Amino acid sequence: MAVWATAGASVVAFMGIGLVDPILPSIAKGLNASNSQVSLLFTSYFLITAVAMLVTGFVSSRIGGRKTLLAGLALVVVFAALSGTSSSVGELVGFRAGWGLGNALFVSTSLAVIVGAAAGGSAAAILLYESALGLGMACGPLLGAVLGDMKWRYPFFGTAVLMAIGFLAITVFLKEQPRPARKTSLLDPIRALGHGGLASAAVSAFFYNYAFFTVLAFTPFVLNMSPYKSGGVFFAWGVLLAVFSVLLAPRLQRRFGSLRVLGGSLLLLAVDLVVLGYGDHTTAVVCTVVSGAFIGLNNTVFTELALGVSDAPRPVASAGYNFVRWFAAAAAPFLAPKIAEWTDIRVPFVVAALAAAVGAGVVAVRRRALTLRAEELEPRHATEDGVAVFADQ
């Protein structure tokens, strides 16, 4: 029951990432805000998430996983509910920042808690976590569409209710887990980035994340569809992301190698973004959905590299890697609509495509550093920080 309670709350946590996608135009209209102002919902969320990567290990290694989960859930409940009461876009952006802190505390701790509490072995627990990830990423836009079609405030209240249920379930069913033998300092993730391979993976992922979150945060304005239709598009996007991340990435890695899959997927994403920007409306819808496949592949391989390319402990390496890459997730939602205002609606996708191509270039140039330990890893099956991982090299 402890495992199921944590996994259920994880589904809702991952839903929160794409929840606002279908209702961004509705929020802009309801709060009389511009596209760039509404896009700050993502910027504040991920900026706080990036900084929180330095804090989550510090906190959980001192107060324990259960208390960290509950603290994260409590913050999400409070700030999601407050988001629904916002009377201005400034208030909503601020409340989303608090939501981002809560989500970072919860997501960064939930995998370790699920594995520690599982009675059926770590492999089964990790598979359950990956299923929660895929379900959450796919269903978030649907929940946002169904509730947001009635009123843009309702998805925020709905999330608060679901997370409150998760808080109660974890309170009742989850016992405290053993604390790590060594406490993590705030600077450990920064020190881990001194390793050339980890730094290279983080820099490449930074440029990739700019492309990723241009799709997630800017495309809803370009599609300009009703919440239901936009939710359907991003549901299909999330399904492809989950299928390619969990099922197809390991097969492609075994056949072609991780770095070839990553470089090729980044370049294909770049092409997809250019076509998305210059195609008609139907083409934009198709390219948005197809981008989920490339994003799923990239997420898998990037996280594998982040966890295996250096000799730092996995939680520390992951925190350092995520600290760098989430800054791009904060930048893209703000810059993409600004670039569209300065130029035209196609240019943000060209910039995002160039960012994906730069990420592929970093992988090519730093191939040796990135391959060093990745090639030595035993076949493993793990998930870290909300991204499915299959390391098959």
Side-chain angles (χ1 to χ4, degrees):
M1 290 302 296
V3 173
W4 283 109
T6 308
S10 297
V11 172
V12 183
F14 297 134
M15 287 169 64
I17 295 176
L19 178 82
V20 299
D21 258 24
I23 57 172
L24 286 176
S26 300
I27 294 173
K29 184 178 180 180
L31 294 178
N32 194 27
S34 67
N35 292 351
S36 58
Q37 288 176 317
V38 173
S39 293
L40 289 173
L41 295 177
F42 285 100
T43 297
S44 62
Y45 183 92
F46 287 114
L47 185 62
I48 295 301
T49 297
V51 176
M53 287 298 113
L54 303 180
V55 177
T56 53
F58 177 88
V59 172
S60 63
S61 64
R62 285 164 172 78
I63 69 173
R66 181 177 181 272
K67 291 179 181 177
T68 304
L69 286 181
L70 292 175
L73 286 170
L75 286 172
V76 172
V77 170
V78 171
F79 284 104
L82 288 173
S83 295
T85 67
S86 300
S87 58
S88 69
V89 70
E91 286 185 3
L92 184 53
V93 168
F95 294 145
R96 277 283 284 182
W99 186 342
L101 174 61
N103 219 46
L105 289 171
F106 177 83
V107 170
S108 64
T109 311
S110 55
L111 172 63
V113 169
I114 288 176
V115 173
S122 61
I126 291 168
L127 180 59
L128 179 62
Y129 187 85
E130 289 164 355
S131 301
L133 163 68
L135 186 61
M137 290 296 287
C139 292
L142 279 185
L143 177 67
V146 171
L147 297 179
D149 191 59
M150 295 181 280
K151 197 170 187 178
W152 68 262
R153 299 179 185 274
Y154 291 169
F156 299 110
F157 294 136
T159 301
V161 171
L162 290 173
M163 283 306 234
I165 294 171
F167 182 94
L168 293 174
I170 288 176
T171 301
V172 172
F173 295 113
L174 180 65
K175 297 179 181 179
E176 185 57 84
Q177 305 296 298
R179 299 183 188 181
R182 177 183 175 275
K183 293 180 179 179
T184 301
S185 78
L186 293 174
L187 294 179
D188 280 350
I190 301 296
R191 296 190 185 101
L193 290 170
H195 185 278
L198 183 60
S200 299
V203 169
S204 181
F206 175 90
F207 288 103
Y208 155 64
N209 263 36
Y210 184 92
F212 176 1
F213 285 94
T214 296
V215 173
L216 195 62
F218 183 64
T219 304
F221 297 115
V222 176
L223 298 180
N224 194 26
M225 303 167 78
S226 69
Y228 269 118
K229 291 181 179 179
S230 183
V233 169
F234 279 96
F235 172 73
W237 170 86
V239 169
L240 273 188
L241 186 154
V243 168
F244 273 75
S245 179
V246 175
L247 299 178
L248 295 182
R251 291 176 172 82
L252 292 173
Q253 286 176 276
R254 282 194 294 268
R255 182 167 182 177
F256 300 106
S258 293
L259 297 184
R260 288 179 182 173
V261 170
L262 180 59
S265 182
L266 285 169
L267 292 176
L268 288 172
L269 177 62
V271 173
D272 181 79
L273 288 170
V274 172
V275 176
L276 193 163
Y278 282 88
D280 59 19
H281 189 267
T282 301
T283 302
V285 170
V286 172
C287 288
T288 299
V289 174
V290 169
S291 71
F294 306 129
I295 288 169
L297 292 175
N298 293 333
N299 284 352
T300 292
V301 183
F302 266 125
T303 310
E304 172 189 327
L305 292 176
L307 299 183
V309 75
S310 75
D311 54 2
R314 286 182 179 178
V316 173
S318 176
Y321 160 79
N322 281 302
F323 173 72
V324 173
R325 75 183 182 109
W326 285 126
F327 278 109
F334 174 73
L335 290 177
K338 284 292 185 183
I339 293 171
E341 292 172 8
W342 298 331
T343 55
D344 67 59
I345 203 166
R346 299 179 180 87
V347 176
F349 294 104
V350 175
V351 173
L354 290 173
V358 171
V362 172
V363 171
V365 172
R366 297 291 295 168
R367 187 179 190 86
R368 188 165 195 165
L370 290 168
T371 306
L372 184 60
R373 275 182 55 83
E375 295 293 347
E376 298 172 359
L377 295 176
E378 293 291 330
R380 58 184 172 83
H381 180 190
T383 308
E384 183 77 15
D385 290 343
V387 181
V389 180
F390 284 81
D392 291 277
Q393 295 210 138

